[in-house]
Amino acid sequence: MTFRLPSAAPLLRTPQTAVLEGIAGFVPPDAVPNHALPAAWDVDDAWVRRRTGIGERRRAAPGVTTGDLAREAAGRALAVVGRPLVDAVIVATSTPDRPMPAMAPRLATRLGLGEIAAWDVSAACSGFVYGLAAAVGALTSGCADRVLLVAAEVYSTLLDPQDRSAGILFGDGAAAVVLRRGERDEPGAVLALELGSDGSGEELIQVPGGGARERSRPDAYGPDDRYFRMRGREVFQHAVTRMTQSAHTVLKRADWAVEDVDRFCAHQANARILSAVGARIPVPDERHVTNIARVGNTGAASIPLALADAAARDELRAGQRVLLTAFGAGLTWGSAALVWPELPGVPHIDTPVDTRIA
């Protein structure tokens, strides 16, 4: 397979970049194992695991919002690095609490961070990588010295109770990273990024209703148009192709060979996609970072949630070269390369901790 490799991004030619200094994740306590899925779906544990690699997924309790999960993950991330001063908050989500305003300003206020810059990123399951690019831009431009990047989703609010294909995949969760301005030769430095999109595939993954188009043409929409829809077979091919191409582009920009990659963390879409992308790069299975079996597909939160989970389990070590890649609705995709830093203790994603802000 031949890949078109764009020239290196000017943004990362500067000697400074974003440096990771903290990470934490959070999943709701309510687990839905495969055996507890609706009987009407006619699935069993073996069938779901064979098709998706998922054993259970988490569901937010009634009344718990994306903002609540974001607050929990963000509080944890700030706590583990000593609650430093933050100049900007970025929230990546496709399940915001409201169409307007953005979630990030409210989150900054809830965290007691003051009147700082705050905005949302909407790139579906690619949201964390897009948010990482936005954080690098804010830091290298001088707009911020430290950024809190949060990815959070409550996909359970979008799922059609009759749609088992999506219902078996998606879970709720959030994760957050703290990034500061630093040098490219520091551990934790983001060394390369690549982003892309193709709007001609917008209908492959979508929630048709709920936006301005429905409000301007209400007769063309029904109640079911408020639910998540995905054309799985077509998405599979696009996801594998785009993530593979994007990963190769980032490897070239970082001046890494495939053999240099110590850990590979792809968007936790399903096990088949993860395996297919890993084989095409190629990265051996033992170098993959994955937690899809325990939490399912958590959208924009999936990459940082998997990284936080691995860090808490001591499966990521300082100095390891880490390759990230994602694909989502839009269609959007993106990849990043960074060197893993020595981090303070990372709490387990399903263990309650005290995250109260002083």
Side-chain angles (χ1 to χ4, degrees), residues 206-225:
Q206 64 170 324
V207 179
R213 288 205 302 182
E214 180 185 349
R215 293 182 175 88
S216 65
R217 294 179 286 170
D219 293 342
Y221 292 83
D224 288 350
D225 289 321

Side-chain angles (χ1 to χ4, degrees), residues 6-17 136-137 140 184 191-193 253:
S7 59
L11 186 64
L12 290 182
R13 288 177 182 163
T14 132
Q16 291 195 315
T17 185
V136 171
T140 58
R184 289 174 53 82
L191 299 178
L193 286 161
R253 290 180 178 177

Side-chain angles (χ1 to χ4, degrees), residues 2-80:
T2 302
F3 302 102
R4 180 177 63 85
L5 301 176
S7 59
L11 186 64
L12 290 182
R13 288 177 182 163
T14 132
Q16 291 195 315
T17 185
V19 174
L20 176 67
E21 62 178 356
I23 188 170
F26 174 71
V27 290
D30 293 338
V32 181
N34 292 336
H35 66 76
L37 293 170
W41 290 0
D42 191 26
V43 299
D44 59 26
D45 180 69
W47 186 89
V48 176
R49 288 181 185 271
R50 185 169 61 251
R51 293 178 64 88
T52 69
I54 298 170
E56 66 178 32
R57 69 288 297 144
R58 300 301 179 96
R59 294 281 189 262
V64 175
T65 71
T66 300
D68 295 328
L69 300 192
R71 163 65 180 81
E72 181 70 25
R76 290 177 176 215
L78 291 171
V80 299

Side-chain angles (χ1 to χ4, degrees), residues 49-340:
R49 288 181 185 271
R50 185 169 61 251
R51 293 178 64 88
T52 69
I54 298 170
E56 66 178 32
R57 69 288 297 144
R58 300 301 179 96
R59 294 281 189 262
V64 175
T65 71
T66 300
D68 295 328
L69 300 192
R71 163 65 180 81
E72 181 70 25
R76 290 177 176 215
L78 291 171
V80 299
V81 293
R83 299 190 178 103
L85 291 175
V86 170
D87 306 296
V89 173
I90 304 171
V91 175
T93 186
S94 42
T95 60
D97 289 355
R98 292 175 288 183
M100 187 176 65
M103 290 179 53
R106 174 59 178 160
L107 177 62
T109 295
R110 293 180 74 183
L111 293 168
L113 300 178
E115 298 176 350
I116 62 174
W119 68 95
D120 289 2
V121 170
S122 178
C125 298
S126 305
F128 177 74
V129 180
Y130 268 73
L132 193 59
V136 171
L139 292 165
T140 58
S141 68
C143 288
D145 295 320
R146 183 173 280 106
V147 173
L148 174 66
L149 169 60
V150 187
E153 305 282 16
V154 180
Y155 263 98
S156 57
T157 60
L158 297 180
L159 298 178
D160 183 346
Q162 309 303 317
D163 182 7
R164 77 175 186 182
S165 63
I168 64 175
L169 287 174
F170 288 93
D172 302 334
V177 296
V178 181
L179 302 154
R180 62 170 173 81
R181 187 187 306 122
E183 306 301 319
R184 289 174 53 82
D185 59 359
E186 290 187 63
V190 179
L191 299 178
L193 286 161
E194 193 268 349
L195 304 175
S197 73
D198 179 6
S200 69
E202 64 176 351
E203 293 185 354
L204 296 183
I205 313 170
Q206 64 170 324
V207 179
R213 288 205 302 182
E214 180 185 349
R215 293 182 175 88
S216 65
R217 294 179 286 170
D219 293 342
Y221 292 83
D224 288 350
D225 289 321
R226 298 291 183 96
Y227 291 129
F228 175 90
R229 301 297 180 202
M230 180 170 64
R231 284 153 45 183
R233 293 193 181 191
E234 293 171 81
V235 168
F236 180 95
Q237 295 299 328
H238 281 278
V240 171
T241 299
R242 296 302 193 177
M243 284 198 284
T244 302
Q245 291 175 336
S246 182
H248 277 275
T249 299
V250 155
L251 288 174
K252 183 175 178 64
R253 290 180 178 177
D255 197 23
W256 291 357
V258 172
E259 295 76 16
D260 294 329
V261 176
D262 298 303
R263 303 310 301 265
F264 171 60
C265 186
H267 164 52
Q268 307 286 292
N270 68 56
R272 289 183 174 183
I273 289 178
L274 298 178
S275 178
V277 174
R280 285 164 174 78
I281 292 177
V283 179
D285 289 349
E286 61 269 19
R287 298 184 187 179
H288 289 213
V289 175
T290 179
N291 66 348
I292 191 171
R294 297 190 296 275
V295 301
N297 181 339
T298 55
S302 77
I303 286 178
L305 196 55
L307 293 174
D309 199 3
R313 298 171 186 274
D314 293 324
E315 296 172 1
L316 282 168
R317 301 302 172 88
Q320 289 183 326
R321 296 184 178 188
V322 182
L323 173 64
L324 314 177
T325 190
F327 175 85
L331 299 171
T332 58
W333 57 85
S335 297
L338 69 148
V339 177
W340 198 254

